[in-house]
mmCIF file with all atom_site columns, all heavy atoms in Angstrom:
data_model
loop_
_atom_site.group_PDB
_atom_site.id
_atom_site.type_symbol
_atom_site.label_atom_id
_atom_site.label_alt_id
_atom_site.label_comp_id
_atom_site.label_asym_id
_atom_site.label_entity_id
_atom_site.label_seq_id
_atom_site.pdbx_PDB_ins_code
_atom_site.Cartn_x
_atom_site.Cartn_y
_atom_site.Cartn_z
_atom_site.occupancy
_atom_site.B_iso_or_equiv
_atom_site.pdbx_formal_charge
_atom_site.auth_seq_id
_atom_site.auth_comp_id
_atom_site.auth_asym_id
_atom_site.auth_atom_id
_atom_site.pdbx_PDB_model_num
ATOM 1  N N   . TYR A 1 82 ? 55.022 55.699 19.559 1.00 93.00 ? 310 TYR A N   1
ATOM 2  C CA  . TYR A 1 82 ? 53.833 55.941 20.428 1.00 93.00 ? 310 TYR A CA  1
ATOM 3  C C   . TYR A 1 82 ? 53.052 54.562 20.566 1.00 93.00 ? 310 TYR A C   1
ATOM 4  O O   . TYR A 1 82 ? 52.728 54.134 21.682 1.00 93.00 ? 310 TYR A O   1
ATOM 5  C CB  . TYR A 1 82 ? 52.971 56.979 19.802 1.00 93.00 ? 310 TYR A CB  1
ATOM 6  C CG  . TYR A 1 82 ? 51.461 56.968 20.270 1.00 93.00 ? 310 TYR A CG  1
ATOM 7  C CD1 . TYR A 1 82 ? 51.133 57.529 21.531 1.00 93.00 ? 310 TYR A CD1 1
ATOM 8  C CD2 . TYR A 1 82 ? 50.487 56.455 19.443 1.00 93.00 ? 310 TYR A CD2 1
ATOM 9  C CE1 . TYR A 1 82 ? 49.817 57.557 21.890 1.00 93.00 ? 310 TYR A CE1 1
ATOM 10 C CE2 . TYR A 1 82 ? 49.163 56.487 19.866 1.00 93.00 ? 310 TYR A CE2 1
ATOM 11 C CZ  . TYR A 1 82 ? 48.801 57.015 21.136 1.00 93.00 ? 310 TYR A CZ  1
ATOM 12 O OH  . TYR A 1 82 ? 47.473 56.977 21.565 1.00 93.00 ? 310 TYR A OH  1
ATOM 13 N N   . ARG A 1 83 ? 52.950 53.913 19.434 1.00 92.00 ? 311 ARG A N   1
ATOM 14 C CA  . ARG A 1 83 ? 52.285 52.614 19.378 1.00 92.00 ? 311 ARG A CA  1
ATOM 15 C C   . ARG A 1 83 ? 53.003 51.573 20.179 1.00 92.00 ? 311 ARG A C   1
ATOM 16 O O   . ARG A 1 83 ? 52.373 50.813 21.017 1.00 92.00 ? 311 ARG A O   1
ATOM 17 C CB  . ARG A 1 83 ? 52.117 52.216 18.005 1.00 92.00 ? 311 ARG A CB  1
ATOM 18 C CG  . ARG A 1 83 ? 51.037 51.115 17.665 1.00 92.00 ? 311 ARG A CG  1
ATOM 19 C CD  . ARG A 1 83 ? 50.878 50.878 16.140 1.00 92.00 ? 311 ARG A CD  1
ATOM 20 N NE  . ARG A 1 83 ? 52.104 50.603 15.466 1.00 92.00 ? 311 ARG A NE  1
ATOM 21 C CZ  . ARG A 1 83 ? 52.526 51.310 14.400 1.00 92.00 ? 311 ARG A CZ  1
ATOM 22 N NH1 . ARG A 1 83 ? 51.783 52.313 13.916 1.00 92.00 ? 311 ARG A NH1 1
ATOM 23 N NH2 . ARG A 1 83 ? 53.628 50.990 13.776 1.00 92.00 ? 311 ARG A NH2 1
ATOM 24 N N   . ARG A 1 84 ? 54.276 51.500 20.115 1.00 89.00 ? 312 ARG A N   1
ATOM 25 C CA  . ARG A 1 84 ? 55.033 50.552 20.843 1.00 89.00 ? 312 ARG A CA  1
ATOM 26 C C   . ARG A 1 84 ? 55.095 50.775 22.306 1.00 89.00 ? 312 ARG A C   1
ATOM 27 O O   . ARG A 1 84 ? 55.102 49.877 23.048 1.00 89.00 ? 312 ARG A O   1
ATOM 28 C CB  . ARG A 1 84 ? 56.493 50.546 20.290 1.00 89.00 ? 312 ARG A CB  1
ATOM 29 C CG  . ARG A 1 84 ? 56.519 49.781 18.908 1.00 89.00 ? 312 ARG A CG  1
ATOM 30 C CD  . ARG A 1 84 ? 57.929 49.520 18.604 1.00 89.00 ? 312 ARG A CD  1
ATOM 31 N NE  . ARG A 1 84 ? 58.083 48.978 17.265 1.00 89.00 ? 312 ARG A NE  1
ATOM 32 C CZ  . ARG A 1 84 ? 59.135 48.942 16.512 1.00 89.00 ? 312 ARG A CZ  1
ATOM 33 N NH1 . ARG A 1 84 ? 60.268 49.516 16.935 1.00 89.00 ? 312 ARG A NH1 1
ATOM 34 N NH2 . ARG A 1 84 ? 59.132 48.370 15.341 1.00 89.00 ? 312 ARG A NH2 1
ATOM 35 N N   . LEU A 1 85 ? 55.188 51.998 22.725 1.00 89.00 ? 313 LEU A N   1
ATOM 36 C CA  . LEU A 1 85 ? 55.431 52.326 24.142 1.00 89.00 ? 313 LEU A CA  1
ATOM 37 C C   . LEU A 1 85 ? 54.119 52.545 24.913 1.00 89.00 ? 313 LEU A C   1
ATOM 38 O O   . LEU A 1 85 ? 54.027 52.160 26.031 1.00 89.00 ? 313 LEU A O   1
ATOM 39 C CB  . LEU A 1 85 ? 56.309 53.543 24.316 1.00 89.00 ? 313 LEU A CB  1
ATOM 40 C CG  . LEU A 1 85 ? 57.673 53.439 23.802 1.00 89.00 ? 313 LEU A CG  1
ATOM 41 C CD1 . LEU A 1 85 ? 58.434 54.765 23.965 1.00 89.00 ? 313 LEU A CD1 1
ATOM 42 C CD2 . LEU A 1 85 ? 58.475 52.271 24.442 1.00 89.00 ? 313 LEU A CD2 1
ATOM 43 N N   . ASP A 1 86 ? 53.151 53.157 24.268 1.00 92.00 ? 314 ASP A N   1
ATOM 44 C CA  . ASP A 1 86 ? 52.014 53.604 25.065 1.00 92.00 ? 314 ASP A CA  1
ATOM 45 C C   . ASP A 1 86 ? 50.754 52.748 24.869 1.00 92.00 ? 314 ASP A C   1
ATOM 46 O O   . ASP A 1 86 ? 49.891 52.775 25.692 1.00 92.00 ? 314 ASP A O   1
ATOM 47 C CB  . ASP A 1 86 ? 51.534 55.008 24.622 1.00 92.00 ? 314 ASP A CB  1
ATOM 48 C CG  . ASP A 1 86 ? 52.524 56.058 24.991 1.00 92.00 ? 314 ASP A CG  1
ATOM 49 O OD1 . ASP A 1 86 ? 53.592 55.690 25.635 1.00 92.00 ? 314 ASP A OD1 1
ATOM 50 O OD2 . ASP A 1 86 ? 52.240 57.272 24.775 1.00 92.00 ? 314 ASP A OD2 1
ATOM 51 N N   . ILE A 1 87 ? 50.795 51.858 23.822 1.00 94.00 ? 315 ILE A N   1
ATOM 52 C CA  . ILE A 1 87 ? 49.509 51.172 23.514 1.00 94.00 ? 315 ILE A CA  1
ATOM 53 C C   . ILE A 1 87 ? 49.656 49.654 23.630 1.00 94.00 ? 315 ILE A C   1
ATOM 54 O O   . ILE A 1 87 ? 50.606 49.067 23.152 1.00 94.00 ? 315 ILE A O   1
ATOM 55 C CB  . ILE A 1 87 ? 49.144 51.480 21.989 1.00 94.00 ? 315 ILE A CB  1
ATOM 56 C CG1 . ILE A 1 87 ? 49.189 52.998 21.819 1.00 94.00 ? 315 ILE A CG1 1
ATOM 57 C CG2 . ILE A 1 87 ? 47.817 50.905 21.677 1.00 94.00 ? 315 ILE A CG2 1
ATOM 58 C CD1 . ILE A 1 87 ? 48.168 53.818 22.504 1.00 94.00 ? 315 ILE A CD1 1
ATOM 59 N N   . GLY A 1 88 ? 48.655 49.067 24.221 1.00 94.00 ? 316 GLY A N   1
ATOM 60 C CA  . GLY A 1 88 ? 48.448 47.633 24.248 1.00 94.00 ? 316 GLY A CA  1
ATOM 61 C C   . GLY A 1 88 ? 47.209 47.283 23.407 1.00 94.00 ? 316 GLY A C   1
ATOM 62 O O   . GLY A 1 88 ? 46.214 47.960 23.513 1.00 94.00 ? 316 GLY A O   1
ATOM 63 N N   . PHE A 1 89 ? 47.268 46.320 22.589 1.00 95.00 ? 317 PHE A N   1
ATOM 64 C CA  . PHE A 1 89 ? 46.146 45.878 21.785 1.00 95.00 ? 317 PHE A CA  1
ATOM 65 C C   . PHE A 1 89 ? 45.728 44.494 22.054 1.00 95.00 ? 317 PHE A C   1
ATOM 66 O O   . PHE A 1 89 ? 46.491 43.561 22.305 1.00 95.00 ? 317 PHE A O   1
ATOM 67 C CB  . PHE A 1 89 ? 46.530 45.884 20.246 1.00 95.00 ? 317 PHE A CB  1
ATOM 68 C CG  . PHE A 1 89 ? 46.635 47.194 19.602 1.00 95.00 ? 317 PHE A CG  1
ATOM 69 C CD1 . PHE A 1 89 ? 47.787 47.752 19.383 1.00 95.00 ? 317 PHE A CD1 1
ATOM 70 C CD2 . PHE A 1 89 ? 45.436 47.883 19.280 1.00 95.00 ? 317 PHE A CD2 1
ATOM 71 C CE1 . PHE A 1 89 ? 47.829 48.980 18.754 1.00 95.00 ? 317 PHE A CE1 1
ATOM 72 C CE2 . PHE A 1 89 ? 45.555 49.195 18.618 1.00 95.00 ? 317 PHE A CE2 1
ATOM 73 C CZ  . PHE A 1 89 ? 46.709 49.703 18.431 1.00 95.00 ? 317 PHE A CZ  1
#
Side-chain angles (χ1 to χ4, degrees):
Y310 162 77
R311 196 168 56 232
R312 282 191 184 162
L313 295 181
D314 290 4
I315 309 294
F317 283 103

